[in-house]
Amino acid sequence: MMEREQIGRIMTIALKDVKGIMKAAPFSNDDRGKMLDIEQEAEKKAFMGLGNVVNAGVRKVLTYELIYVALTNMDFTWGTHASLVMKKGEELVGEEVQDKQRIAELSKRKDVWFMHQNFVIYKDKVSFPQDLMKKICHFEIPGLPADWCRLEDEAIENHSIIYANPSTLGDIFLKEQYFDGIPEKGLGTILIGVDL
């Protein structure tokens, strides 16, 4: 297996080449517990109008062996994966949809209801809004595949790489801890996990 330091160098170079990533740094193992505590605190306060929000993406990234933190600007492309989903237990019952063609297709279906222009609820899988009010369902911020991270080294390119969006509280912590507390508008943070 490739040395962690070598993977670290490859990842740092790859992340700096991604459009919209201004800076990237290895995430300290010492901050794993603190970050999880911050996200759990944010989850207690998070309420999407109708239901609780769980940041499953950050939780998953924190289980990966190697983690990086990146500072993003408005040029960062989030891709077309759903950055917010609604689940009933483990079953997907609603999701954010970015692809315009898919939105057009879904809008013709009778088993679909649009909570807003990009968020679809699958009516046959959930009793809406009753299941949310009874806390049978919850919103989840998933981990997303880092399709934008291009690795030229064959020894690492087959590893699973995901990224996650921290809560506002997590974003503030990461900016203070890794980017000198940069306060500029339009800048955010992401956590990137590499599964070895």
Side-chain angles (χ1 to χ4, degrees), residues 3 42-43 51 60 66 82 99 108 110-111 120 134 187 191:
E3 300 254 348
E43 287 171 2
K60 185 170 182 180
L66 292 177
D99 183 272
K108 295 174 187 166
K110 293 193 184 315
D111 64 331
V120 65
K134 294 177 184 171
L187 299 184
L191 286 173

Side-chain angles (χ1 to χ4, degrees), residues 102-192:
R102 186 153 178 252
I103 289 171
E105 290 167 6
L106 287 168
S107 66
K108 295 174 187 166
R109 288 176 41 181
K110 293 193 184 315
D111 64 331
V112 166
W113 179 73
F114 280 85
M115 196 162 144
H116 66 74
Q117 68 182 25
N118 286 52
F119 198 91
V120 65
I121 304 279
Y122 301 108
K123 294 192 289 189
D124 59 338
K125 296 181 178 184
V126 66
S127 176
F128 187 81
Q130 295 86 345
D131 286 354
L132 275 175
M133 302 304 244
K134 294 177 184 171
K135 296 191 183 344
I136 295 170
C137 292
H138 66 277
F139 289 98
E140 194 171 281
I141 302 166
L144 304 170
D147 301 335
W148 38 259
C149 189
R150 302 280 178 245
L151 300 173
E152 303 300 322
D153 194 302
E154 288 179 16
I156 188 176
E157 68 184 6
N158 293 326
H159 290 286
S160 169
I161 303 173
I162 65 166
Y163 73 103
N165 304 304
S167 65
T168 302
L169 292 174
D171 180 67
I172 291 167
F173 170 75
L174 293 171
K175 284 177 180 170
E176 287 173 355
Q177 201 74 359
Y178 294 90
F179 305 113
D180 301 320
I182 193 160
E184 293 165 40
K185 288 191 184 221
L187 299 184
T189 55
I190 56 173
L191 286 173
I192 302 113

